[in-house]
Amino acid sequence: MKVQPLCSASQCIPWLVVLIIECLAIVILNIITIVVFVKKKRQLQRRSTYLIIHLAIVDLLVGIVSGPLQIEHIMGWSCPLWNYKQRTIWPHNLSFVFLHLFSFASLTNLIAVSLERLHATFCPFKHRFVRKWVYRAIIIAIWLIPVVREAVQIFLRGIVDRVVINTYLYCLFYAVSLFVICVSYILIIIKVRCSRHPQFHSRSKRERKLTGTALIVSLVSLLCFLPAMIYAGWAGNYSTYFINFHIHMAVLVLFLGNSLVNPIIYARRMPGFREGLLQLVYRVPDLSRIAPANLLLRNLRRAKIDGRKTIDEGVTHERNDIEKSL
C-alpha cells in the first residue's frame, strides 16, 4: 500500500540531514566513551561507574538501531523521499519494538543510577561492600523492564485503543520514571545539605563528585525526554499525529539527543575521563599505569640524558669559540 506523503522533499531533507548527523555523533561519542572507560581501568572501572558504562552501551545501541529505524519510519510515512513498504505483522512488530526499546532502556538505566546514588549517599558504608552480582542483577532488570513493556504493547495493539496504550504504557512509564529520579535526587540534595558530619577523605569526595555528575546527566536526559512525554500524550488523544511535521521532528531530535549529551558531560565533570580522552586523542602515555619506582627511574634517566646533552652542547660551543679566536 502506497502511503501519501504529508510534506515536500524540501521540508524533509534538512531534518533528514540533522538526524543522520545526530545518529553518527551518538555512535562516535559513545564508542569513544566506552573505549576510555575500558582503558582507564584503575581510575574509572569502579563499581560505582558500572551503570554509567552500561548507559554508554545502551546509548550506542540507540544510535546504531533506534535512530536509523526512527529515520526510516518517519521519513517513509511523511516524506516523498522513498517508498514506505508495509511489512507483514511480525517484521512490523519487531521493528516497532526496536524503535523504542533502547530509548526506554536508557531511561530505566537512569532510574537505576539515581537509586544507586541514593543508596551510596544514605548508606555509604554498606555501599562500599556491594557485590558485583548486585550490579549484574540491576543490569538484567534494566533490560527486563523495557522488554516486558514492549511485549505488552505488542499484545495490546490489536485489542485496545491507541489512546489507552499511549496513556498507560508511554505517559505512565515516563511519569513514574520522572517521579523516581526527581525524588531520589531531591533526597540526595537534602541529605548532603543537612549532613552534620561531612566527610573529607578522597573516597567521599569522589563519590560526591560522581553523584553530582549523575544528577546533571539525569536532569539533561529528563529535559530531552519531557517534550516526547508531553507530545506522546497529546498526539495519542488526537488523530493529527503527523500534521505538524516540524514539531514532531524537533521532539525526535531532542529525544535522541539524550544519548548524545552524556559523553560531553563526562568530559566536563570527570577528570579521569577527561585525562583518558586526551590520552586517546593525543597519544599521551598513561602515567597512572606506571609504578612510582619505575616512574622515578624514568625521570632520572631523562634528567641524565638531558644533562649529557647540555654538557655536549657546552663543549661544542667552547670548541667553536676557540676555533674562532684562532
Side-chain angles (χ1 to χ4, degrees):
M1 184 177 69
K2 190 176 180 180
V3 180
Q4 204 63 22
L6 299 175
C7 299
S8 63
S10 61
Q11 292 176 310
C12 296
I13 290 175
W15 286 112
L16 177 63
V17 173
V18 169
L19 287 172
I20 291 174
I21 292 173
E22 186 177 31
C23 289
L24 288 174
I26 289 171
V27 172
I28 293 169
L29 289 180
N30 282 287
I31 287 176
I32 292 173
T33 301
I34 295 168
V35 170
V36 170
F37 272 105
V38 169
K39 289 189 71 174
K40 297 289 289 183
K41 291 182 180 180
R42 303 181 76 180
Q43 291 185 339
L44 296 177
Q45 281 194 34
R46 301 184 299 272
R47 289 185 180 89
S48 301
T49 59
Y50 285 171
L51 296 178
I52 292 178
I53 297 171
H54 182 259
L55 181 61
I57 296 172
V58 175
D59 288 337
L60 175 63
L61 292 172
V62 171
I64 293 175
V65 181
S66 297
L69 284 175
Q70 291 278 8
I71 293 172
E72 190 264 347
H73 181 72
I74 300 299
M75 293 298 171
W77 272 98
S78 306
C79 301
L81 299 180
W82 57 75
N83 293 327
Y84 185 81
K85 296 180 180 180
Q86 291 285 355
R87 301 184 181 94
T88 57
I89 185 67
W90 282 109
H92 177 73
N93 287 338
L94 193 63
S95 174
F96 197 79
V97 165
F98 286 111
L99 199 67
H100 302 288
L101 176 64
F102 301 116
S103 298
F104 283 117
S106 178
L107 183 56
T108 310
N109 202 131
L110 290 173
I111 297 173
V113 169
S114 66
L115 294 176
E116 190 263 349
R117 291 290 89 202
L118 184 67
H119 183 259
T121 303
F122 277 84
C123 307
F125 185 74
K126 289 183 179 179
H127 185 264
R128 293 178 189 178
F129 299 98
V130 174
R131 302 285 184 178
K132 288 185 178 181
W133 69 264
V134 176
Y135 287 95
R136 295 192 190 103
I138 292 171
I139 290 172
I140 291 172
I142 287 171
W143 285 104
L144 195 60
I145 292 171
V147 166
V148 170
R149 199 206 72 88
E150 294 295 332
V152 171
Q153 178 173 330
I154 290 175
F155 177 75
L156 294 177
R157 283 189 74 186
I159 301 174
V160 299
D161 189 61
R162 188 179 65 184
V163 176
V164 177
I165 294 176
N166 285 334
T167 303
Y168 290 101
L169 291 181
Y170 279 96
C171 297
L172 186 62
F173 186 82
Y174 283 130
V176 171
S177 304
L178 179 67
F179 176 78
V180 172
I181 292 172
C182 289
V183 169
S184 297
Y185 285 112
I186 288 171
L187 292 175
I188 288 171
I189 292 170
I190 293 173
K191 174 67 174 178
V192 171
R193 294 289 184 184
C194 300
S195 178
R196 295 182 180 180
H197 305 286
Q199 298 172 334
F200 296 102
H201 52 84
S202 59
R203 185 182 181 90
S204 297
K205 287 183 179 180
R206 189 172 64 228
E207 290 294 327
R208 186 170 293 187
K209 184 84 172 178
L210 184 61
T211 301
T213 303
L215 172 61
I216 294 173
V217 167
S218 299
L219 288 177
V220 173
S221 297
L222 289 178
L223 289 175
C224 294
F225 278 121
L226 193 59
M229 173 182 172
I230 297 170
Y231 189 73
W234 169 78
N237 296 312
Y238 297 94
S239 60
T240 57
Y241 188 75
F242 283 112
I243 283 183
N244 201 322
F245 173 74
H246 296 289
I247 291 179
H248 185 81
M249 296 307 295
V251 168
L252 178 60
V253 169
L254 201 58
F255 183 75
L256 294 176
N258 161 69
S259 301
L260 178 65
V261 295
N262 294 342
I264 301 171
I265 297 173
Y266 300 152
R268 294 281 298 175
R269 293 279 305 175
M270 300 176 71
F273 181 86
R274 189 164 55 247
E275 181 185 338
L277 185 62
L278 292 174
Q279 290 168 1
L280 186 66
V281 174
Y282 295 107
R283 301 293 181 181
V284 179
D286 190 359
L287 299 180
S288 63
R289 295 187 177 184
I290 303 174
N294 295 336
L295 186 61
L296 180 61
L297 288 173
R298 195 172 75 170
N299 291 335
L300 288 173
R301 287 171 186 168
R302 286 184 177 177
K304 190 182 291 185
I305 292 170
D306 292 339
R308 288 175 180 173
K309 286 182 179 178
T310 305
I311 293 171
D312 292 340
E313 288 175 359
V315 171
T316 303
H317 284 304
E318 288 180 3
R319 287 177 179 173
N320 292 335
D321 292 338
I322 293 170
E323 289 175 358
K324 286 180 181 179
S325 62
L326 293 174

